[in-house]
Amino acid sequence: MIWYPYEQMKTMKQPYKIVNADGVYLYTENNKLIDSVSSWWSVIHGYKHPELTKAITSQAENFSHIMLGGLTHEPVEKLSQKLSEWLPADLNYCFFSDSGSVAVEVALKMALQYFMNKGDEKRTMVLALEHAYHGDTFKTMEVGDDEDYHFVLKAYGKSKNVIHIPTEINALEKAFEEYHEKLNCFIVEPLLQGAGGMRMYDISFLVRARELCNRYGILLIFDEVATGFGRTGNRFVADLVTPDILVLGKALTGGYIGHAVTVANTKVYNGFYDDNPNHALMHGPTFMGNALACSVALKSIELFENQDYISKIHKIEEKTKNNTGLVLNICFNYGGRDEIVTATKNIAQKVLDGELKIEDINEKLFSNYLYTANQPDPDLLIRTSGEERISNFLPWQISYSEFVFTDKFWPEYNEQEFLNSIQIYQKRTRRFGGNK
């Protein structure tokens, strides 16, 4: 029997069985659905992409996997070289693993051992953000701050080794002033906190973090498992502010196979490069550098470059900001309230059918559950009450908390198919945003 993620197995609804997938669509035996979450933000080129499929099958004809313990192979060498050339500054040293959570664990382990190798065993603390999500393994849960996922750690009590702060520069400066002698790293989801509520913050916070890390000799870690590959409008936030360690996953392989990488800069790598065997990084996931994963990752990066995704993202971003076309922005609270989903679906359908005017959508319409947000001249904007959500998402960058489509951006977009997908994706798991 399958034990499904983020579910109470006793009460969960029957999952929808997918029999095929192509482009943005998932197929059950009877329905065609839009995958509005891209399989937890990983399938950036669409399903069954011919070039990605060919990359996998071609490599499989030679071999599917060889361990990196005492061995190497061409796909992992090529991917390492490509990332070294492609990533900013001197982020040159790639340690591969099989998931984002493990890659973050590796980053945290690197940061701790970096100082231990220098003879400094007092730097045992990690600075992290409130509402952070970095995965579901033990150390990633500890540096995270989301009770929906990590409530099990209450059994251990409050961690003495992690400090959580809000994304406010005053709080940042205060934390560094108070704890800088004990900190080994500061870890963030840069610009966008995904599973913690789609919370965005300003780049100035990261600029100041970089300055403080430099001043006090603390390592800065960017967890771009979710934010990488264009999700924030940049290739990587690391292109704007350079971390000491960068973590990538999810879209790295175009969503074809689980793989991740922890990329260190020269300073961090040299902290391990020594004649002393005890200074080696003693870590080695079985499937790190998997040949199939490396092959498809290389092809995914090639597509990202050759099709100039960043220019496309900027074009859509600009049009979205100008409210060009019909912006259908539908959000709902994933607390298991079916009436919210039903209300959202019905209201949206009435607007599309011309039975309801946009100006008639107000707080009374959705009582305490849904309301129209205060945005300049939106064509249609429906959001959940409660914590603040962001509203300017790209058409394909659809989160668990918000859907944004524009008809002029997606000429083939079918409103009814989207409305059906809302009903299907009503949230059988507590949130779409997790799962490293």
Side-chain angles (χ1 to χ4, degrees):
M1 179 179 178
I2 300 172
W3 196 333
Y4 287 91
Y6 308 122
E7 282 286 4
Q8 172 47 258
M9 295 295 292
K10 185 174 182 179
T11 58
M12 74 172 284
K13 296 180 180 179
Q14 183 69 25
Y16 292 88
K17 187 172 183 178
I18 304 303
V19 298
N20 198 1
D22 192 5
V24 300
Y25 296 106
L26 299 176
Y27 296 86
T28 66
E29 289 187 1
N30 301 311
N31 289 301
K32 177 183 178 183
L33 314 172
I34 294 176
D35 180 8
S36 53
V37 79
S38 302
S39 279
W40 274 323
W41 312 345
S42 64
V43 185
I44 61 172
H45 307 293
Y47 292 101
K48 205 186 295 183
H49 192 289
E51 293 187 53
L52 298 182
T53 300
K54 184 178 179 180
I56 288 267
T57 56
S58 295
Q59 178 57 43
E61 290 177 356
N62 294 325
F63 57 87
S64 295
H65 177 66
I66 291 176
M67 70 176 184
L68 290 189
L71 304 172
T72 190
H73 54 80
E74 187 175 275
V76 74
E77 292 173 346
K78 284 187 174 181
L79 180 57
S80 298
Q81 182 63 32
K82 180 61 181 179
L83 289 172
S84 177
E85 296 169 353
W86 202 45
L87 295 175
D90 63 339
L91 289 165
N92 295 330
Y93 300 93
C94 301
F95 192 98
F96 294 100
S97 52
D98 48 10
S99 73
S101 291
V102 175
V104 174
E105 293 275 357
V106 171
L108 295 169
K109 188 173 181 178
M110 280 182 180
L112 176 61
Q113 190 176 341
Y114 171 80
F115 288 100
M116 291 184 65
N117 286 356
K118 296 172 67 174
D120 186 350
E121 299 186 3
K122 295 181 180 179
R123 290 183 177 268
T124 58
M125 297 183 70
V126 174
L127 185 63
L129 297 179
E130 293 177 355
H131 309 291
Y133 176 87
H134 297 287
D136 298 330
T137 53
F138 256 70
K139 192 64 180 179
T140 62
M141 287 196 296
E142 186 182 14
V143 298
D145 182 42
D146 193 323
E147 289 191 358
D148 286 348
Y149 299 103
H150 307 147
F151 61 87
V152 68
L153 292 187
K154 288 181 178 180
Y156 290 96
K158 184 176 176 60
S159 173
K160 298 179 180 179
N161 296 316
V162 179
I163 303 297
H164 290 101
I165 62 170
T167 52
E168 300 168 3
I169 291 180
N170 288 341
L172 177 70
E173 292 175 338
K174 182 178 179 181
F176 270 87
E177 181 179 352
E178 184 173 354
Y179 299 107
H180 66 268
E181 293 182 349
K182 298 179 180 180
L183 292 173
N184 60 60
C185 70
F186 179 31
I187 184 170
V188 299
E189 299 158 274
L191 293 186
L192 171 64
Q193 294 181 279
M198 304 312 296
R199 299 167 183 270
M200 299 195 75
Y201 57 96
D202 194 76
I203 190 66
S204 60
F205 181 86
L206 296 176
V207 171
R208 185 57 177 151
R210 179 70 273 177
E211 293 170 351
L212 291 169
C213 284
N214 289 344
R215 177 189 299 177
Y216 294 113
I218 295 165
L219 300 181
L220 180 60
I221 301 174
F222 279 7
D223 175 359
E224 294 218 51
V225 171
T227 62
F229 296 93
R231 290 293 185 185
T232 65
N234 311 285
R235 285 191 327 160
F236 308 100
V237 182
D239 289 330
L240 307 180
V241 177
T242 307
D244 299 292
I245 301 174
L246 174 65
V247 184
L248 303 176
K250 290 189 182 294
L252 176 64
T253 64
Y256 260 62
I257 189 170
H259 208 218
V261 62
T262 307
V263 189
N265 66 9
T266 303
K267 178 179 72 173
V268 173
Y269 180 79
N270 285 343
F272 293 80
Y273 193 75
D274 199 293
D275 292 327
N276 187 341
N278 292 328
H279 287 183
L281 179 62
M282 299 303 291
H283 205 93
T286 299
F287 291 100
M288 68 180 296
N290 174 266
L292 299 180
C294 290
S295 297
V296 76
L298 280 164
K299 182 56 67 173
S300 177
I301 292 171
E302 181 183 314
L303 292 172
F304 191 91
E305 289 184 300
N306 291 347
Q307 297 183 13
D308 197 6
Y309 275 36
I310 293 301
S311 292
K312 293 179 180 179
I313 289 170
H314 289 166
K315 181 178 179 181
I316 294 172
E317 178 184 13
E318 186 61 32
K319 287 187 177 182
T320 304
K321 286 181 178 179
N322 293 334
N323 291 310
T324 304
L326 170 65
V327 178
L328 178 57
N329 192 342
I330 301 181
C331 309
F332 44 89
N333 186 322
Y334 294 110
R337 297 182 217 159
D338 291 349
E339 63 271 21
I340 298 176
V341 180
T342 301
T344 304
K345 173 178 176 292
N346 291 341
I347 289 296
Q349 188 62 63
K350 287 183 178 181
V351 171
L352 293 171
D353 291 343
E355 298 177 14
L356 179 67
K357 295 181 180 180
I358 291 172
E359 54 265 30
D360 292 334
I361 302 176
N362 52 42
E363 294 184 15
K364 292 182 180 179
L365 202 60
F366 288 98
S367 184
N368 295 325
Y369 292 140
L370 299 174
Y371 65 96
T372 53
N374 230 347
Q375 276 234 337
D377 301 322
D379 291 302
L380 173 61
L381 183 59
I382 305 175
R383 302 176 68 188
T384 57
S385 59
E387 61 184 273
E388 184 179 354
R389 304 289 190 184
I390 61 176
S391 57
N392 287 328
F393 267 84
L394 305 180
W396 64 79
Q397 188 174 341
I398 302 162
S399 75
Y400 65 82
S401 62
E402 185 158 328
F403 296 84
V404 182
F405 284 82
T406 306
D407 58 353
K408 291 187 179 181
F409 303 156
W410 267 19
E412 299 178 0
Y413 161 62
N414 180 286
E415 290 90 350
Q416 186 58 52
E417 288 178 356
F418 173 59
L419 292 169
N420 290 341
S421 76
I422 292 176
Q423 194 173 32
I424 295 297
Y425 280 128
Q426 147 193 253
K427 197 52 187 157
R428 296 174 301 283
T429 58
R430 292 216 62 212
R431 296 206 173 153
F432 284 138
N435 189 36
K436 290 278 189 175

